[in-house]
Amino acid sequence: MRNIKLTIEYDGKRYLGWQRLGDSEKTIQGKIEGVIAQMTGETIEIIGSGRTDAGTHARGQVANFKTASEMTPEEMQSFFNRYLPRDIVIKKVETASERFHARYNAQAKQYSYYVWNSEIPSAFNRNYSFHVPQTLDIEKMTQACEKLIGTHDFIGFSALKKTKKSTTRTVHQVSIQKEGEMLHFVFEGDGFLHKMVRILTGTLIEIGLGKKDSTIIDEVFQSNTRKEAGETVPAHGLFLDEVIY
Amino acid sequence: MRNIKLTIEYDGKRYLGWQRLGDSEKTIQGKIEGVIAQMTGETIEIIGSGRTDAGTHARGQVANFKTASEMTPEEMQSFFNRYLPRDIVIKKVETASERFHARYNAQAKQYSYYVWNSEIPSAFNRNYSFHVPQTLDIEKMTQACEKLIGTHDFIGFSALKKTKKSTTRTVHQVSIQKEGEMLHFVFEGDGFLHKMVRILTGTLIEIGLGKKDSTIIDEVFQSNTRKEAGETVPAHGLFLDEVIY
């Protein structure tokens, strides 16, 4: 049996997210497993680095699966890209070591969030960014980013209820770059809780609008309650850029 | 009556092109005229700078119409962008001189065509570029661009049959820029015949693939026949960038 590592790009618009549900037609995992069945005749469950929500995109999701197939990685890649729908692309197929596990071995992840910050909407970026027409104080937002960096219990910035599993994560980088009318948020860390990137972005936007002060971040870290943090911004502005092993 | 000038951005994917047909639901012109009727109560025909084909996009299409409405340009713009579908955006509304005519007064137009030149397709650019997986000789293509610049009868590079109207046009600029895996073609001229940009791009691609020599351009100018020129590349890679007055 070989262990195959996939690097995957997808436009999440039409899907219910990464994780296969009853109706495999509507998830990225389900689509890929369907093509593997065609390709190898095997019924295989692939392991993703983590879930992505309905509507969220990926430039570098990673998954692995074991197969008895003797196809070369190149043959697999061209089979995948011929039979997958055009909004899911396999960017790389590699033979990994037997012990490689896409979820357990992930050391860090990088996400991008895009905000279209202009009074006038964009016909082209509408499915790949969140439209905020109001003026944002980017300097204030950038200062607030600093407070997020480090090791913290992020439960107050997540959609999770209190849980026995650790909700402490280390965030290495949070930055905001202005590219014309687009604000590009980058988050890098050893792991992110459910909806954490979208709630962090929502909180930074409320700080930029002047609705909240940046001290809100310290308060959420102290209280560990979700209600003080900002709104969850929409999934269609979020991209999983890279999984680092 | 005021003469209103609109600058329009649209994602052409869902539409049958600019020009209103029987079924106004499927054209950009029809959609905009529908919102004008809601906004002013007037049944108005708007004048576009020119048609765009089914599936073609625009960043700066221009149109004008006369109205008795007393709304300010700002009020009109926000009405348009509230009631138009999200893939059509009015970027600017201006009061123009009484004699301004979006088609007759157009001095020049700029178009972009995008080619995704990578073995691996792109999940995100699939609706906004044409995928060419083979290697292209960009130097040879760039040299061929030079031959297109100037005043020529472009009928052999168009979808037109012989016509009494002049098919002579002046092309000011043809360039190709490599932006990562994307090739960005720019065409600027005083006017373009039906499908001319897509046939010129198709011809340049065939030169880049080594299927045709760049002397084909001289031959088409001499013979004025379409059959020697390259294939028409798909509409979804084409953008009307700007109309110059």
Side-chain angles (χ1 to χ4, degrees):
Chain A
M1 295 287 273
R2 277 185 307 159
N3 192 6
I4 302 294
K5 177 185 175 190
L6 303 178
T7 305
I8 310 152
E9 176 176 279
Y10 48 85
D11 179 334
K13 186 177 192 309
R14 297 194 305 133
Y15 299 97
L16 296 172
W18 168 263
Q19 198 186 27
R20 179 166 36 75
L21 305 166
D23 176 4
S24 73
E25 277 310 289
K26 291 287 194 168
T27 67
I28 321 289
Q29 184 188 4
K31 283 286 180 197
I32 295 173
E33 288 175 352
V35 174
I36 292 175
Q38 267 179 277
M39 181 166 78
T40 66
E42 299 166 333
T43 304
I44 282 169
E45 187 170 341
I46 64 173
I47 296 157
S49 74
R51 303 174 194 179
T52 55
D53 286 332
T56 293
H57 314 292
R59 296 196 182 99
Q61 169 68 297
V62 174
N64 75 292
F65 65 96
K66 303 211 171 167
T67 178
S69 161
E70 288 178 357
M71 285 170 80
T72 66
E74 294 71 31
E75 287 167 343
M76 284 188 188
Q77 186 174 18
S78 70
F79 192 101
F80 273 122
N81 288 333
R82 174 164 307 163
Y83 292 102
L84 281 169
R86 289 176 59 227
D87 49 11
I88 305 177
V89 171
I90 305 296
K91 306 212 27 158
K92 240 190 256 177
V93 179
E94 297 163 284
T95 306
S97 82
E98 201 191 323
R99 302 170 66 177
F100 174 75
H101 189 286
R103 188 164 72 251
Y104 298 154
N105 295 159
Q107 296 292 312
K109 281 182 185 173
Q110 185 187 297
Y111 285 91
S112 286
Y113 197 93
Y114 293 90
V115 169
W116 181 252
N117 188 217
S118 164
E119 257 189 87
I120 302 158
S122 163
F124 297 110
N125 296 309
R126 71 192 193 285
N127 295 324
Y128 307 105
S129 61
F130 173 46
H131 182 206
V132 176
Q134 300 94 329
T135 306
L136 291 168
D137 186 335
I138 295 170
E139 211 184 304
K140 229 167 147 189
M141 292 163 77
T142 305
Q143 285 163 5
C145 287
E146 294 297 316
K147 294 182 181 250
L148 297 169
I149 295 171
T151 303
H152 305 280
D153 185 343
F154 280 95
I155 191 163
F157 290 107
S158 82
L160 297 173
K161 307 268 169 233
K162 215 173 160 8
T163 159
K164 281 190 181 162
K165 287 189 192 168
S166 169
T167 48
T168 295
R169 295 290 183 274
T170 300
V171 168
H172 306 126
Q173 189 207 343
V174 185
S175 64
I176 305 172
Q177 232 175 313
K178 196 168 155 52
E179 299 161 358
E181 284 150 306
M182 192 71 93
L183 294 184
H184 178 188
F185 294 69
V186 176
F187 296 86
E188 208 240 283
D190 66 356
F192 292 87
L193 306 174
H194 189 214
K195 298 197 177 166
M196 177 171 149
V197 176
R198 290 160 61 190
I199 294 168
L200 291 176
T201 304
T203 305
L204 291 169
I205 289 171
E206 289 184 30
I207 291 168
L209 291 170
K211 283 194 196 173
K212 284 194 159 72
D213 192 84
S214 67
T215 53
I216 191 69
I217 293 174
D218 312 300
E219 285 167 36
V220 173
F221 283 145
Q222 270 154 36
S223 71
N224 283 332
T225 54
R226 165 80 181 88
K227 64 176 184 293
E228 295 171 36
E231 305 265 330
T232 309
V233 287
H236 68 263
L238 183 61
F239 289 69
L240 170 55
D241 290 326
E242 198 187 349
V243 186
I244 296 132
Y245 291 96
Chain B
M1 296 285 276
R2 277 184 310 155
N3 191 6
I4 302 293
K5 177 184 174 191
L6 304 178
T7 306
I8 311 152
E9 176 177 277
Y10 48 85
D11 180 334
K13 186 179 194 307
R14 296 195 306 132
Y15 299 98
L16 295 173
W18 168 264
Q19 198 186 26
R20 179 166 36 76
L21 304 165
D23 175 4
S24 73
E25 277 309 291
K26 292 288 194 166
T27 67
I28 320 291
Q29 184 187 5
K31 285 284 179 199
I32 295 172
E33 288 175 353
V35 174
I36 292 174
Q38 268 179 275
M39 183 167 77
T40 66
E42 299 166 332
T43 303
I44 282 170
E45 187 170 342
I46 63 173
I47 296 156
S49 74
R51 303 175 192 178
T52 56
D53 286 333
T56 293
H57 315 292
R59 295 197 183 99
Q61 169 69 295
V62 173
N64 75 294
F65 65 95
K66 304 212 170 165
T67 177
S69 161
E70 288 179 357
M71 287 171 77
T72 66
E74 294 69 33
E75 287 167 343
M76 285 191 191
Q77 186 173 19
S78 71
F79 193 100
F80 273 123
N81 288 332
R82 174 166 306 165
Y83 292 102
L84 280 169
R86 290 176 60 230
D87 48 12
I88 305 176
V89 171
I90 304 296
K91 307 216 23 162
K92 241 189 256 175
V93 179
E94 297 163 283
T95 307
S97 82
E98 202 191 321
R99 302 171 67 176
F100 174 75
H101 188 287
R103 190 165 70 250
Y104 299 153
N105 296 159
Q107 296 293 312
K109 282 183 184 171
Q110 185 187 296
Y111 285 91
S112 286
Y113 197 93
Y114 293 91
V115 169
W116 181 252
N117 188 217
S118 165
E119 256 189 86
I120 302 158
S122 162
F124 297 109
N125 296 309
R126 69 191 194 287
N127 296 325
Y128 307 105
S129 60
F130 173 46
H131 181 207
V132 176
Q134 300 94 328
T135 307
L136 291 168
D137 185 335
I138 296 169
E139 211 185 303
K140 228 166 146 189
M141 292 163 76
T142 305
Q143 284 163 8
C145 288
E146 293 297 317
K147 293 182 182 250
L148 298 169
I149 295 170
T151 304
H152 304 280
D153 185 344
F154 280 96
I155 191 165
F157 291 107
S158 82
L160 297 174
K161 308 270 169 231
K162 214 172 164 5
T163 160
K164 280 190 183 162
K165 287 190 193 166
S166 169
T167 48
T168 295
R169 294 291 182 276
T170 301
V171 168
H172 306 125
Q173 190 207 341
V174 185
S175 64
I176 306 172
Q177 232 176 312
K178 195 167 154 56
E179 298 161 358
E181 283 150 308
M182 192 71 92
L183 295 184
H184 178 188
F185 295 69
V186 176
F187 296 86
E188 207 240 283
D190 66 357
F192 292 89
L193 306 174
H194 188 214
K195 298 199 177 165
M196 177 171 149
V197 176
R198 290 160 62 192
I199 294 169
L200 290 176
T201 304
T203 305
L204 291 169
I205 290 172
E206 291 185 29
I207 291 168
L209 290 170
K211 282 194 198 174
K212 283 193 161 74
D213 191 84
S214 67
T215 53
I216 191 69
I217 294 174
D218 312 300
E219 286 166 36
V220 174
F221 283 145
Q222 269 153 37
S223 71
N224 283 331
T225 55
R226 164 81 181 87
K227 64 176 185 291
E228 295 170 35
E231 305 265 331
T232 310
V233 288
H236 69 264
L238 183 62
F239 289 69
L240 170 55
D241 290 326
E242 198 187 348
V243 186
I244 297 132
Y245 291 96

